[in-house]
Structure formats: structure tokens, C-alpha cells
Amino acid sequence: MKAHTFLILLPSMFFVFIGFFTPNEALSKPFIGDHTSIDQVYENGRLLRAQFKNREAREYLKYSMKKGSAKGFYLYAIELKGYNQTVRTDSNVYDYISRAAELGDKQAVRYLALGELSEDVSFFWKDKYFELLNQLVNEDKGQAFFEFYLFYQHSDLELAKDYLKKSVALMHPVALMVQGDLIMQGGGPYWFSFTRKKASIEIYKQAAKTYYLPAIKKFINILDEIGDEDQAFEWLLKAAGLGDLSSIALVARTLSGKKGVHKYAPHSLSQAKAYYDIYIDIAGQDKFAALYTSMLAEQYDLVNRMSDEQLKEADQNLIKIKENVKYFYSSDIFWFDDGYLYSL
């Protein structure tokens, strides 16, 4: 897949190159028609879910599931689990995930293999999961080694650590993040707290440099904790440049001069409005409705502070930002197929 550069607008109105990323293909406007593939229907539902449009997403995921999509079965089950539960919800969720696993979906197989099921059931799926991981070694060693770490961490800790080490050596972002956590928890040859903290921060930075979104967001939190606001805002811009909706909201608030949000970052009303426009245009209200309402009120207040020239500038900024982002979304553990809690 072709790699793309992406750019971020700074208040000086110069474009600043901040890195490379390889986005997935742009998703078309959601539509179920005679010529829409089931994979595309699933991807539309998946993206809608990641944009907080859960009610609409469920319709697409349910449709893809009925047409036999393994991924559709799994993600619809996960969505059903967190919505309007009834006495039959748990049974339906298990049935749908089991069907997804039978159709070969790795996330579903992992869910059943590592979940809290009866020993005879989990043993069957563990065997299947082990088989899938051996196949994955030929396609993505870093991910396979990391999942072997997850597979063995509660049964053979030494073997699990060995797989984690192999995954770290291949610069797998989640493995790096786990390694950073382990260092902070006492792992590694560090006698002093300051050297331990320095080593862990460096590991987290390496993970962020892979442009894996949860790693960037983790690193931003660390930079905020140690008071490095300049670098935190720089990485926040990178996360926004990858289309992350929560980062876009925070960039909008920061550039508008909202108190308590990266107070030393530069302000630009025209750029702030562009980010507000993106969030309000893209984000749904099935989740974080209070944030959406706040963003809408803040955008209204911002517009009243802007001149006609600044408003025109904001429109141009909006066009340029959208040109460099394939899609906007908010990631969670079910967006990334890495099986770990850092996909948040």
C-alpha cells in the first residue's frame, strides 16, 4: 500500500511535515445497495461505530452478519453486549461470537480461547487459536509473537516473556508499551527510580514513533504527567493528523485558547474552528453526547469572536486538513486486532 505524508497546520500558517503513515483505503459513504460488497458493508458499520454512531452502525453490522460476514458476527455481538441488554443478550452474544469463530475470525477465536469459559470449551478454542497464531507467524511475526505472549502469560510466564522479547525486537508497538509497563513495575536492571522512569519513557516514545494511535495517546498522557506540554501538544497534533476524534476535540479547544488545556500552546481561532467543524460534522452522539453538546456551544462562541477574514481562513484550513486524513474515528480495543487493552 502506498505510504502518504501528512501535514499539520500551525498558527503561523506554514505547513509542517511531521511524519509518514499508511492509511487504510478511504471508506465510501455508507450505503447498502445491490453492488455493495458485504466486506464494504461491514467496514461502513465498523467506521460508524468508531464515530459514535452506534445505532446506525448496528444496522450495517447486523446486515453483514446476516450475509455471513465473520467479522460482522463478532463486532455485532460486541456491540450488542454493550447495548440494551435483556435476559437473552449473553446467550446471543456467545452464539454470535461462536459463529464468527467457526467462520475463522481470529478476534472471535481469541475471545473464546482466552475468555472465562468452561475448561472443555476454552481448550477447544485454545487449540484453534494456537493453530491460527502459527499461521500468523508467516504473515506478521511481531503480532504473532505478541499474541503468543498473551497466550502464555498465565500458564508459562518465562515462555511468555521470551515471546514478548521477540516482539519488542521487531518494534511491535503494543509489545513496546507492555515492556514500558513492566520496567515501571520493577522489571529490568534499574536500581534507581529516575533511571527506571527514563528508560520506560524512552520505550513508550519508541512505541509512539511507530504511529500506532494508542501508543501516541499513551505517550501524550506520559508527557502531560511529567509536565512537558510542548512535546505533548506536538504529539497531540500527530494524533489529530491520524484522524483521532478525541485528539481533534482537544486540539480545537487548545487552539481556541480554552483555559486548562495545554495553556502554553499557540492559539489560532481560524485553525481551532476547522477542528471544531471536523468534530461536529463527523462525530455522532450515541456516545459522549455531553462532549458533542459542549463542542457545539464552544464552536458557537468561537464564531462570534471571529472576523469574516478569519472565518474564510478557517474554511481553507478545513479543506487542507481533510485532504490529508483518509477518515476520522476513535479507536478502541475492537478497532485494532491486537488483542490488548491499549487499543483504547
Side-chain angles (χ1 to χ4, degrees):
M1 186 180 292
K2 183 180 178 182
H4 297 267
T5 61
F6 63 91
L7 305 164
I8 288 293
L9 288 166
L10 295 179
S12 62
M13 295 311 298
F14 288 99
F15 287 104
V16 178
F17 169 74
I18 59 173
F20 291 93
F21 74 102
T22 305
N24 293 332
E25 293 298 322
L27 296 178
S28 61
K29 183 179 179 180
F31 174 75
I32 299 176
D34 293 338
H35 303 292
T36 306
S37 72
I38 298 307
D39 287 344
Q40 187 65 61
V41 172
Y42 164 77
E43 289 295 340
N44 289 338
R46 175 173 173 261
L47 182 60
L48 286 165
R49 181 180 181 275
Q51 293 175 340
F52 314 135
K53 300 167 185 173
N54 297 67
R55 284 176 291 182
E56 191 177 357
R58 283 191 288 273
E59 293 303 313
Y60 284 85
L61 295 174
K62 186 176 183 179
Y63 184 88
S64 70
M65 177 186 74
K66 287 182 176 180
K67 294 297 182 178
S69 167
K71 292 181 180 295
F73 269 104
Y74 178 71
L75 194 54
Y76 182 76
I78 295 302
E79 183 64 18
L80 188 65
K81 188 177 181 181
Y83 165 75
N84 195 27
Q85 291 204 6
T86 68
V87 293
R88 288 191 52 80
T89 297
D90 288 343
S91 175
N92 288 338
V93 167
Y94 176 77
D95 289 345
Y96 292 151
I97 293 179
S98 295
R99 182 58 179 149
E102 289 167 4
L103 291 171
D105 182 69
K106 181 165 68 71
Q107 289 193 79
V109 173
R110 180 173 58 226
Y111 184 99
L112 296 172
L114 305 184
E116 297 178 0
L117 301 173
S118 62
E119 188 172 336
D120 57 334
V121 173
S122 64
F123 182 81
F124 172 82
W125 289 113
K126 282 179 180 177
D127 190 53
K128 179 64 176 176
Y129 184 41
F130 187 81
E131 179 184 322
L132 290 176
L133 292 185
N134 278 314
Q135 294 173 13
L136 185 61
V137 170
N138 297 321
E139 302 168 16
D140 186 347
K141 283 187 172 61
Q143 179 64 30
F145 291 154
F146 178 70
E147 293 200 47
F148 273 123
Y149 160 75
L150 296 178
F151 186 86
Y152 285 114
Q153 65 176 334
H154 298 301
S155 60
D156 190 333
L157 187 56
E158 289 305 311
L159 183 57
K161 287 180 179 179
D162 184 52
Y163 276 116
L164 180 63
K165 184 177 179 180
K166 290 178 179 179
S167 189
V168 167
L170 292 170
M171 298 299 290
H172 186 276
V174 190
L176 288 166
M177 295 164 77
V178 171
Q179 184 67 22
D181 285 352
L182 293 175
I183 290 173
M184 285 302 296
Q185 293 165 10
Y190 306 100
W191 293 97
F192 302 103
S193 60
F194 75 91
T195 56
R196 180 177 300 283
K197 189 169 186 177
K198 183 178 179 180
S200 67
I201 290 173
E202 182 57 33
I203 292 287
Y204 292 132
K205 186 175 183 178
Q206 289 179 31
K209 283 183 174 180
T210 68
Y211 282 85
Y212 174 70
L213 184 56
I216 292 177
K217 295 174 77 170
K218 170 74 173 180
F219 190 50
I220 291 169
N221 290 338
I222 291 169
L223 293 170
D224 280 334
E225 287 173 5
I226 64 177
D228 191 344
E229 288 203 1
D230 288 343
Q231 195 176 174
F233 185 65
E234 178 185 332
W235 280 97
L236 182 64
L237 288 171
K238 294 178 182 182
L242 291 171
D244 179 60
L245 286 171
S246 62
S247 299
I248 285 168
L250 191 51
V251 168
R253 288 175 157 180
T254 300
L255 293 175
S256 71
K258 190 171 174 62
K259 292 182 179 179
V261 182
H262 293 99
K263 55 183 177 292
Y264 299 118
H267 299 163
S268 170
L269 300 189
S270 62
Q271 288 187 60
K273 183 178 181 298
Y275 284 106
Y276 272 110
D277 288 351
I278 289 170
Y279 188 89
I280 290 165
D281 182 49
I282 299 296
Q285 300 182 62
D286 293 335
K287 285 187 177 180
F288 308 113
L291 173 60
Y292 187 94
T293 301
S294 296
M295 292 289 286
L296 201 60
E298 291 166 20
Q299 183 208 45
Y300 180 81
D301 176 66
L302 180 65
V303 169
N304 288 333
R305 294 158 52 197
M306 295 174 67
S307 66
D308 290 343
E309 186 61 33
Q310 286 175 316
L311 290 170
K312 290 179 182 178
E313 211 171 77
D315 290 340
Q316 292 302 311
N317 291 343
L318 177 62
I319 292 170
K320 290 171 183 175
I321 292 170
K322 284 187 171 182
E323 284 176 349
N324 291 288
V325 180
K326 285 296 183 181
Y327 52 76
F328 300 92
Y329 66 103
S330 182
S331 63
D332 65 7
I333 191 171
F334 305 109
W335 179 268
F336 296 101
D337 183 16
D338 54 41
Y340 201 67
L341 58 83
Y342 276 125
S343 298
L344 298 174

